[in-house]
Amino acid sequence: MMVQTPSIIIIIPYFGQWPFWMPFFIESCRANPDINWLLLGDCAALEDLPNNVEQRVFDFVDYCAFVSECLGLSFNPSNPYKLCDLKPALGFIHAADVAGYDFWGFSDLDLIYGDLRSYFSDERLRKYKVLSTHERRISGHFCLLRNEPELNSVFWKIPDFVRRAEDPKNHALDEGGFSRIFLWRKNFPKPLFELVGLFNRWRRVAEFKEAFSTPNGIRPWTDGTQDYPAYWAWRNGRLQNAKDGDRQFPYLHFLVWKKYWQQSSHEPMSYEQAQVLASRRNWRIDRDGFHIGDDQ
């Protein structure tokens, strides 16, 4: 009997204005047709969405009221960035949307996805219930969780969750707070770290493996140096870079380059220019933004 590939839905609440690179993000979703995305918020309607991406309009105040009702607490922040603290709870909050899926996940928008199924193989999805792309913490910009009632509710184990969720200040619960459920003594040397993990049942069902998808930061690169790829290339769903040869990556998290773009006097391109270039399905990404692929 053929075993079915585990199904996945990624939930992303986002309020304000779409970033200029949104057409590239959507194209990278389109290239993963057997994974679904749900985008919630008050941003402008996206054009030509693929069948695997749903946009649902939600006023920020109404969404906060929806969250408050689902969690039985008072969630009334003034800044949408506070929504990061809710990422571990999205499977619980959006129980109706994740129903029927084997996995749900949270993600940021400053990503370009490669071939996700190639990295998150059926074998890995059947072996683990939580898949983080960092070695010693939950990757707040992208993480997958098995759609099970106990796991969907594990965020309640975050110390002092209700108070911290109700506080308008962001507490990084998606990374620091959530990670502590799965990882004990994360600064221990690796042998001791692995040994301690054997006594944590949540750690035993989780994969914490560095995917090297957030370059240009403090974390050493694949070769142990801080000599990061000069550019990344995306072509029809395949994501590679200037340094690692034929190796494919699940996604590029361009957090550092994004900060550079935001600090510049102007964005690398307009949203309309991004739409035109993204439609070519072959582009490069570097410190200066998005560009036409080498063979065009």
Side-chain angles (χ1 to χ4, degrees), residues 160-224:
D160 208 10
F161 175 79
V162 172
R163 182 192 65 80
R164 296 163 80 184
E166 290 184 334
D167 184 356
K169 176 184 175 182
N170 182 276
H171 287 266
L173 300 184
D174 57 327
E175 295 192 343
F178 201 37
S179 294
R180 289 183 178 88
I181 296 173
F182 302 92
L183 302 176
W184 298 340
R185 309 298 183 184
K186 70 173 187 174
N187 293 324
F188 271 12
K190 188 170 184 178
L192 285 177
F193 173 70
E194 296 296 339
L195 178 62
V196 169
L198 296 177
F199 297 91
N200 181 349
R201 75 182 185 95
W202 293 111
R203 174 71 177 90
R204 294 197 300 270
V205 299
E207 179 189 61
F208 287 85
K209 182 179 177 62
E210 184 58 51
F212 298 99
S213 293
T214 305
N216 306 96
I218 60 174
R219 183 171 288 101
W221 198 239
T222 55
D223 56 2

Side-chain angles (χ1 to χ4, degrees), residues 125-190:
L125 292 175
R126 294 191 180 104
K127 183 177 181 179
Y128 299 106
K129 295 186 178 184
V130 179
L131 296 99
S132 171
T133 57
H134 284 323
E135 186 177 16
R136 296 208 179 191
R137 64 182 172 90
I138 291 289
S139 42
H141 55 270
F142 189 89
C143 186
L144 295 180
L145 300 96
R146 185 82 58 83
N147 184 19
E148 296 178 352
E150 187 181 21
L151 191 56
N152 291 356
S153 301
V154 75
F155 69 92
W156 291 114
K157 295 182 180 293
I158 296 175
D160 208 10
F161 175 79
V162 172
R163 182 192 65 80
R164 296 163 80 184
E166 290 184 334
D167 184 356
K169 176 184 175 182
N170 182 276
H171 287 266
L173 300 184
D174 57 327
E175 295 192 343
F178 201 37
S179 294
R180 289 183 178 88
I181 296 173
F182 302 92
L183 302 176
W184 298 340
R185 309 298 183 184
K186 70 173 187 174
N187 293 324
F188 271 12
K190 188 170 184 178

